[in-house]
C-alpha cells in the first residue's frame, strides 16, 4: 500500500520524494521543498485516498512552495477527519470524573443541557497531576476528536478556582465537538475557527472567565 502510494506520487509529481506516513492528529499533510527533492509527511488516511485526490496532491507537490492546497485535498482531509470515530475504544472504567472539588460529569451535563440541548454524547475525564505546572495554556483542557473525549487538567480541581472558570474550560472543549475544524492552505488543521470563537463568547461568564485566566495564568504555566 505504502509502496503504491509512493510510486503514484513520485510518478505524478515528477519529483524525487522522501515520503513518511504519520499518525499525527494535527498535521494531516506537510510538504517541505528542499534542494532536488520534497519531503512529504502524510497521515495514514492517504493510504486510501482516491485517484483524483492523489493527482491533485501530486500537482500541489510539483508546484512547489508558492502553490496552495487544492480544494479536493482539503475536502478529503476534512471529511476523513470527521469520519474518524474511536469512541468505542474509550474504557468507561478508566474515566475519572469526580474530583476533590469539581464533579466533571455534573458540569458537563448542565452545560450540555444549557447550551447544546443535551445533544452531545461525549466522554469526559480528569487528567494530569494536581500540582504539576503546565507548559502552555493549551493544556487546561483537551478534546480528542476521534475518541469524542474531553480531558480536563487536575490543576483546575482546586478550591481557589472559581466555578465559572472550570465551566468555561469544559464548555470550550465541548464546542470542539460541534465546530468542525478546517484545513488551511498548508494542510494544517485549524480548530479555533471564527465560528468557534463566536460561539465561545456565548458562554454566560465568558468575560469573567477570560479575565480570571489572564490574571492567574502565571500560577499554572511555566
Ligand atoms: Zn481549543
Amino acid at each position: 500500500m505504502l509502496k503504491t502510494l509512493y510510486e503514484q506520487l513520485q510518478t505524478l509529481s515528477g519529483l524525487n520524494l522522501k515520503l513518511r506516513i504519520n499518525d499525527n492528529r494535527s498535521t494531516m499533510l506537510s510538504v517541505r521543498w528542499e534542494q532536488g527533492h520534497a519531503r512529504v509527511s502524510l497521515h495514514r488516511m492517504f493510504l486510501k485516498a482516491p485517484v483524483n485526490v492523489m493527482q491533485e496532491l501530486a500537482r500541489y507537490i510539483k508546484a512547489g512552495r508558492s502553490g496552495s492546497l487544492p480544494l479536493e485535498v482539503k475536502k478529503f482531509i476534512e471529511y476523513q477527519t470527521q469520519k474518524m470515530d474511536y469512541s468505542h475504544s474509550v474504557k468507561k472504567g478508566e474515566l475519572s470524573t469526580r474530583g476533590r472539588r469539581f464533579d466533571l460529569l455534573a458540569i458537563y451535563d448542565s452545560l450540555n443541557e444549557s447550551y447544546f440541548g443535551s445533544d452531545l454524547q461525549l466522554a469526559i475525564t480528569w487528567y494530569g497531576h494536581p500540582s504539576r505546572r503546565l507548559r502552555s495554556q493549551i493544556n487546561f483542557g483537551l478534546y480528542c476528536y476521534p475518541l469524542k473525549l474531553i480531558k480536563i487538567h487536575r490543576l483546575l480541581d482546586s478550591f481557589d478556582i472559581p466555578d465559572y472558570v472550570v465551566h468555561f474550560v469544559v464548555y470550550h472543549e465541548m464546542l470542539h465537538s460541534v465546530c468542525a475544524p478546517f484545513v488551511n492552505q498548508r494542510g494544517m488543521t485549524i480548530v479555533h475557527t471564527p465560528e468557534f470563537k463566536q460561539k465561545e463568547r456565548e458562554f454566560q461568564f465568558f468575560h469573567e472567565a477570560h479575565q480570571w485566566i489572564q490574571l492567574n495564568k502565571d500560577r499554572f504555566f511555566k
Side-chain angles (χ1 to χ4, degrees):
M1 208 61 170
L2 179 57
K3 190 156 179 274
T4 326
L5 181 75
Y6 178 75
E7 280 165 357
Q8 252 188 354
L9 270 184
Q10 178 114 321
T11 313
L12 288 168
S13 69
L15 286 181
N16 192 5
L17 300 182
K18 293 199 159 80
L19 180 66
R20 200 170 65 88
I21 297 295
N22 73 59
D23 264 317
N24 195 316
R25 274 195 311 126
S26 59
T27 316
M28 300 301 160
L29 160 70
S30 87
V31 184
R32 292 217 320 261
W33 290 272
E34 294 169 353
Q35 197 73 41
H37 65 266
R39 229 174 251 280
V40 182
S41 175
L42 294 178
H43 187 269
R44 189 163 293 285
M45 65 171 66
F46 279 95
L47 290 171
K48 285 182 265 173
V51 179
N52 68 315
V53 170
M54 295 310 292
Q55 282 167 342
E56 291 299 319
L57 177 61
R59 196 167 61 82
Y60 170 66
I61 297 169
K62 193 176 181 176
R65 271 184 202 89
S66 57
S68 64
L69 198 65
L71 193 64
E72 286 85 344
V73 181
K74 288 169 65 165
K75 291 287 159 217
F76 174 75
I77 297 173
E78 286 171 358
Y79 179 68
Q80 293 297 323
T81 311
Q82 282 167 34
K83 234 178 45 176
M84 284 186 210
D85 184 358
Y86 298 110
S87 53
H88 55 270
S89 67
V90 173
K91 295 188 183 74
K92 295 277 183 275
E94 287 173 13
L95 302 177
S96 135
T97 54
R98 214 176 271 262
R100 287 179 299 180
R101 173 169 175 210
F102 295 107
D103 181 345
L104 284 182
L105 200 56
I107 293 173
Y108 165 85
D109 283 338
S110 84
L111 290 168
N112 200 6
E113 193 183 334
S114 311
Y115 293 93
F116 304 96
S118 296
D119 278 347
L120 304 188
Q121 291 189 316
L122 311 171
I124 189 164
T125 187
W126 291 108
Y127 86 104
H129 193 272
S131 63
R132 200 161 295 150
R133 293 214 289 174
L134 302 169
R135 251 180 283 130
S136 83
Q137 187 157 354
I138 303 161
N139 299 335
F140 257 157
L142 297 166
Y143 181 64
C144 312
Y145 286 89
L147 294 176
K148 300 185 193 297
L149 171 66
I150 294 170
K151 292 174 158 190
I152 303 295
H153 202 288
R154 279 205 174 79
L155 275 177
L156 292 182
D157 187 25
S158 163
F159 286 88
D160 54 359
I161 293 186
D163 214 67
Y164 58 79
V165 170
V166 180
H167 278 71
F168 175 64
V169 174
V170 175
Y171 174 74
H172 175 106
E173 301 310 329
M174 291 169 84
L175 266 190
H176 278 302
S177 75
V178 295
C179 296
F182 75 92
V183 177
N184 74 5
Q185 300 292 346
R186 291 275 157 237
M188 295 292 293
T189 302
I190 309 297
V191 293
H192 299 128
T193 60
E195 182 207 5
F196 183 98
K197 287 179 183 163
Q198 189 201 324
K199 285 217 167 83
E200 197 180 29
R201 290 175 170 274
E202 289 171 14
F203 180 69
Q204 195 184 355
F205 301 103
F206 173 79
H207 293 289
E208 289 86 344
H210 199 72
Q211 193 174 30
W212 191 92
I213 291 170
Q214 286 305 311
L215 289 172
N216 292 277
K217 60 184 179 196
D218 292 347
R219 254 174 70 178
F220 302 105
F221 305 114
K222 284 179 197 150

